[in-house]
Amino acid sequence: MPRFSIIVPSHGVAGRLSQALDSVLAQSYGDFELIPVCDAPGSPAADVAEAHAGRDSRVAPVNSPPTAGLSGARNTGLRAATGAYVLFLDGDDTLAPGALAALHARLTETSDVDVLYFEHERTPWWEGEPTNPAAPLLAKTPAGAFSPTQAPQLTGVQLPAWSAAYRRAFLTDHQLTFPEGPFTDLGWGGLVTLAAERVAVLRSVVVRHLLRRQGSRLNLPGAHHHQLLDQVDMVLTRAAGSELSGALFEQLFAVVLKTASRPERLPSGHRAFFRRAGRLYRSHRPAGFRAPGGSVGVQHRLLASGAYSAFRALRGANRSASEAAERVPRPRMLRTRLRYARDLRRPLDPNLAVYCAYWGRGYACSPAAIHAKARELAPHIRSVFLVEPDAVDAVPEGVEHAVIGSRKYWEVLARAKYLVNNANFAEGVVKRPGSVHVQTQHGTPLKKMGVDQSTYPVVAAATGSFAKLLGRVDRWDYNISSNRHSTQMWERAFPGSYEALEYGYPRNDVYYTATADEVARIRRELGVPEGKTAVLYAPTHRDYQTGFDTGLDLEAFCAAAGDDVVVLLRAHYFYDQGRAKSSGRIIDVTGHRSSEDVCLAADALVTDYSSIMFDYANLDRPIVVYADDWDVYRETRGVYFDLMEAPPGPVARTPDELAQVFRDGSYAGAESKALRTEFRARFCEFDDGLAAERVVRRVFLGEPPEAVPPVIPLAERVPAPAATLVRS
């Protein structure tokens, strides 16, 4: 029997689950079993848990449906537990180093008490200065083991379930399980307090709890707050006649009064909540109970008397609607501000959609793919593409557009129901109730993104205000993902309340729909000589460099790689043109509007750390990673995984190594194919040619998730053919 069973519910936290599990497996004290509780086999969290189970036999995942909630997940874990003591850990929290060793030592010292309460840190989501709210509470308790009646101020009501270790035999003997409902910790803590005979405390931090940027789900508006009273009623009914009834009564009604004083949490039924709370207060109030002094005591008396109007007059409604307005600046010119303010008061146009790509650089990427599909499947939707003045000439004929900053630009932004972007709209754009913002992203993240950049000084300095960034994230309703890795990393990098659409990137649809004739046409337009092997060289941007540098002598590469090789040079989109002009065997395609066209034209890809590799992998054509400065890039930019451990093809560290893999053909050999196959399975998960259709049907046509086309299995997809049909 292991010393500890550590139960980790994982619903909705797949992006950070690996950190939680790793913090347990890294403990110096190893006598434990780790029980991740996942939604179902094949879910994102289940994949993370199974990967850990494959590496460590102490990991034993179990499943609990999301409909069972947190209580159901924990109870499922309890039934599977075999350890002497049970601990709970949220899926986005971590165990402090040395935590289990400290728990074991303290439990041995206190002769295996029923419950051992311990301290925990609450860390802001941006990893700011942590707080330790349990420390003052635990400091007032006896030094050794004691009865709960000796320290009535310490009850489980004031601490989360994951701030204590529980003797499993004690839980089994008293048939203790988590009660159903959203406030399950409150009910659990009260029941445990009433059943325990001997408890103790450990005055050191065991759990590091990550505060969500969105705040606790329990604090969101909704009818679930009425269930708080169910937990209060259950605990106080059980506590009747107990020596702890007074302490539990005061602590539980402190929570009730906190909710009652925030009417915004109960959009409807606030009066009914108050009246039921008053009835419970009167029926459960212990004999001789004395209300606290001050304004809190006044609230107690008003609740006891059912004086709803007086209570509201005392507390009021502390609303902060002006905060959003202060965070979002308006258009600069006075006349434009007035017009925009006027248009914001007009009704939303339910048949108007606005698109933008790369901050207005042109008609491109996933917004363009969704735009084209919407014109086909939802022709009743008027679509307007936003572009900078110098990109107007690149807008295809028949596509309505608006120049960024113009009167039309602000008018359509004010009135559009649908707004689609692969970056972010300007800060001056107001998120109107009823509008739908779709964030398409523009690549799978290898490098750190969003708030994850905050610990990398060079990148953080260029990023600007993270508060403003997150203000823009708060406008998102949907965030599109092409694989589960992206879904999890976006959850970390851009914390928000949006819904992830695991539909694939619409811009990648063309990799499965383009024909051989279209590939040949694109090659002719780009100037690729007939019969030549076109190698796309696409280096990424370096935050620590100024301007564009190819990072490779392309003429020398062509000479060393073979006579049949030509290079398509595409610089990062931050640069309008690469420095190398088209000459001889080097064709500069940086200015070509479509990276998808360039990929279709290429027979192979050479890149360093650009996200283009994830898109190009859909074509199942050779990829070579040129990683001459990987260590520097990883340290200064930050990455989400080690590309050198899971590359999409051969890795070259020097120009000679790069030329050699082309000269000997290994860039397209069996080993290269095997690496690419594994890479595609991981990162081309949802890209199958139908992504744009899924988005249009779900967002514009309002079809339910189960009605959109399912993802075609990878083995059944047929990528667009390469011009030279290079295959292993």
Side-chain angles (χ1 to χ4, degrees):
M1 179 175 66
R3 181 62 157 162
F4 298 107
S5 293
I6 305 166
I7 299 168
V8 189
S10 62
H11 179 65
V13 292
R16 292 185 179 271
L17 179 60
S18 61
Q19 294 174 306
L21 302 184
D22 289 343
S23 74
V24 178
L25 296 177
Q27 293 290 310
S28 58
Y29 184 88
D31 187 12
F32 63 82
E33 61 179 358
L34 178 56
I35 307 175
V37 186
C38 310
D39 293 348
S43 65
D47 291 345
V48 173
E50 288 297 337
H52 282 73
R55 298 194 298 268
D56 196 310
S57 61
R58 294 173 297 179
V59 183
V62 296
N63 298 317
S64 176
T67 53
L70 177 61
S71 60
R74 286 175 172 168
N75 288 333
T76 297
L78 274 175
R79 289 192 292 271
T82 62
Y85 275 83
V86 176
L87 283 82
F88 299 96
L89 190 69
D90 281 357
D92 51 358
D93 296 344
T94 58
L95 280 186
L100 294 185
L103 285 173
H104 170 68
R106 182 59 172 161
L107 287 169
T108 301
E109 180 184 355
T110 56
S111 302
D112 292 342
V113 291
D114 295 333
V115 185
L116 177 64
Y117 296 105
F118 47 73
E119 296 176 4
H120 63 270
E121 286 183 349
R122 291 181 178 267
T123 304
W125 60 266
W126 66 90
E127 299 182 359
E129 190 68 25
T131 60
N132 187 341
L137 184 64
L138 302 188
K140 301 175 183 178
T141 58
F146 57 90
S147 166
T149 57
Q150 292 178 262
Q153 77 281 2
L154 175 63
T155 73
V157 167
Q158 295 177 299
L159 293 171
W162 40 260
S163 197
Y166 309 89
R167 188 165 59 86
R168 189 168 62 85
F170 155 72
L171 300 179
T172 302
D173 292 344
H174 292 274
Q175 299 181 336
L176 291 172
T177 59
F178 284 85
E180 294 183 3
F183 295 90
T184 185
D185 275 25
L186 204 67
W188 166 267
L191 296 179
V192 166
T193 295
L194 291 168
E197 296 180 2
R198 295 177 68 253
V199 301
V201 302
L202 172 62
R203 297 186 180 94
S204 62
V205 172
V206 171
V207 172
R208 290 174 175 166
H209 175 65
L210 180 70
L211 294 172
R212 294 168 172 262
R213 175 174 177 256
Q214 306 93 311
S216 170
R217 295 187 181 98
L218 297 180
N219 294 335
L220 296 175
H224 63 279
H225 289 282
H226 290 278
Q227 298 179 57
L228 165 63
L229 301 180
D230 296 337
Q231 302 285 351
V232 171
D233 190 19
M234 176 194 66
V235 172
L236 292 180
T237 298
R238 188 79 62 90
S242 166
E243 293 182 60
L244 295 171
S245 60
L248 287 169
F249 179 87
E250 183 171 354
Q251 293 171 17
L252 287 167
F253 272 97
V255 180
V256 171
L257 287 170
K258 185 176 180 180
T259 299
S261 65
R262 290 171 171 78
E264 66 273 12
R265 293 187 181 178
L266 287 160
S268 62
H270 186 259
R271 184 184 295 272
F273 176 91
F274 186 88
R275 287 178 172 172
R276 185 188 173 201
R279 291 194 297 270
L280 291 176
Y281 188 99
R282 292 187 293 273
S283 64
H284 288 298
R285 180 169 48 191
F289 174 77
R290 297 182 62 182
S295 62
V296 176
V298 175
Q299 293 178 53
H300 273 258
R301 289 191 289 274
L302 293 175
L303 183 63
S305 62
Y308 177 72
S309 298
F311 183 87
R312 290 205 63 180
L314 174 68
R315 297 294 297 171
N318 183 22
R319 301 185 181 278
S320 56
S322 61
E323 292 180 1
E326 293 173 358
R327 188 173 65 243
V328 182
R330 301 297 188 187
R332 293 181 178 180
M333 302 303 292
L334 176 60
R335 182 176 297 179
T336 306
R337 288 202 303 269
L338 294 174
R339 286 173 177 164
Y340 186 54
R342 178 200 63 193
D343 289 334
L344 287 172
R345 292 193 295 269
R346 298 169 62 189
L348 283 176
D349 185 340
N351 294 320
L352 176 59
V354 172
Y355 302 81
C356 191
Y358 298 116
W359 303 275
R361 292 174 183 268
Y363 185 82
C365 200
S366 290
I370 297 171
H371 174 276
K373 185 59 67 173
R375 297 177 76 184
E376 173 190 336
L377 298 180
H380 62 286
I381 299 289
R382 175 192 171 198
S383 299
V384 181
F385 223 94
L386 307 180
V387 292
E388 290 286 356
D390 58 0
V392 170
D393 293 340
V395 177
E397 185 177 352
V399 174
E400 184 179 358
H401 68 275
V403 175
I404 291 177
S406 67
R407 179 176 179 178
K408 180 180 179 181
Y409 165 85
W410 287 108
E411 179 184 1
V412 295
L413 282 173
R415 302 208 54 209
K417 177 177 176 64
Y418 306 102
L419 297 97
V420 182
N421 207 326
N422 74 348
N424 267 307
F425 289 100
E427 290 177 34
V429 176
V430 174
K431 164 67 171 170
R432 295 186 62 181
S435 65
V436 178
H437 286 238
V438 180
Q439 168 59 248
T440 71
Q441 301 293 347
H442 50 270
T444 290
L446 166 62
K447 61 187 178 184
K448 291 292 181 73
M449 301 292 290
V451 298
D452 285 341
Q453 299 172 346
S454 62
T455 55
Y456 295 87
V458 174
V459 188
T463 301
S465 169
F466 287 103
K468 290 183 177 180
L469 168 66
L470 293 169
R472 297 188 287 270
V473 170
D474 285 340
R475 297 187 302 218
W476 302 356
D477 293 288
Y478 297 107
N479 186 34
I480 296 177
S481 170
S482 61
N483 49 67
R484 291 182 179 176
H485 162 78
S486 293
T487 303
Q488 295 171 19
M489 296 310 103
W490 297 143
E491 178 186 319
R492 289 177 47 180
F494 303 113
S497 57
Y498 53 80
E499 178 183 350
L501 297 182
E502 293 183 321
Y503 286 174
Y505 283 148
R507 72 177 184 186
N508 292 345
D509 286 352
V510 70
Y511 296 142
Y512 296 97
T513 60
T515 64
D517 289 342
E518 289 171 322
V519 172
R521 173 186 57 78
I522 295 169
R523 285 171 67 94
R524 288 194 301 270
E525 291 176 355
L526 295 178
V528 179
E530 186 73 24
K532 295 293 186 179
T533 298
V535 177
L536 172 59
Y537 178 55
T540 193
H541 167 68
R542 263 69 167 175
D543 299 273
Y544 49 87
Q545 290 181 350
T546 301
F548 173 69
D549 185 349
T550 61
L552 183 67
D553 185 336
L554 298 179
E555 294 285 0
F557 166 74
C558 288
D563 293 339
D564 65 332
V565 172
V566 296
V567 170
L568 302 176
L569 169 64
R570 188 168 181 86
H572 190 273
Y573 61 79
F574 281 177
Y575 312 102
D576 293 332
Q577 294 182 348
R579 287 184 179 174
K581 301 299 181 183
S582 298
S583 62
R585 296 166 64 181
I586 300 172
I587 305 171
D588 191 336
V589 295
T590 302
H592 191 79
R593 72 169 184 85
S594 172
S595 63
E596 294 77 54
D597 281 0
V598 174
C599 288
L600 285 167
D603 300 297
L605 169 68
V606 174
T607 186
D608 40 26
Y609 326 117
S610 170
S611 66
I612 199 171
M613 73 179 79
F614 302 99
D615 305 314
Y616 191 83
N618 282 284
L619 291 167
D620 197 17
R621 302 178 191 175
I623 302 174
V624 178
V625 175
Y626 180 55
D628 62 327
D629 62 346
W630 169 249
D631 293 334
V632 175
Y633 185 86
R634 179 176 57 185
E635 290 301 318
T636 57
R637 188 59 174 85
V639 294
Y640 285 115
F641 68 94
D642 189 346
L643 182 64
M644 301 303 103
E645 295 295 325
V651 175
R653 297 277 190 168
T654 67
D656 289 342
E657 290 179 2
L658 179 62
Q660 180 64 33
V661 297
F662 280 90
R663 194 163 49 243
D664 63 18
S666 59
Y667 79 101
E671 184 177 350
S672 175
K673 174 68 174 178
L675 291 171
R676 189 167 70 252
T677 298
E678 186 174 348
F679 191 84
R680 292 183 75 224
R682 181 179 179 186
F683 296 112
C684 300
E685 191 173 3
F686 307 128
D687 289 334
D688 63 353
L690 299 174
E693 179 178 347
R694 293 187 188 98
V695 174
V696 172
R697 292 190 179 281
R698 175 71 186 282
V699 177
F700 293 90
L701 299 180
E703 296 182 5
E706 60 272 12
V708 302
V711 175
I712 299 172
L714 187 62
E716 299 176 17
R717 303 175 202 167
V718 180
T724 55
L725 298 178
V726 176
R727 292 289 183 269
S728 62

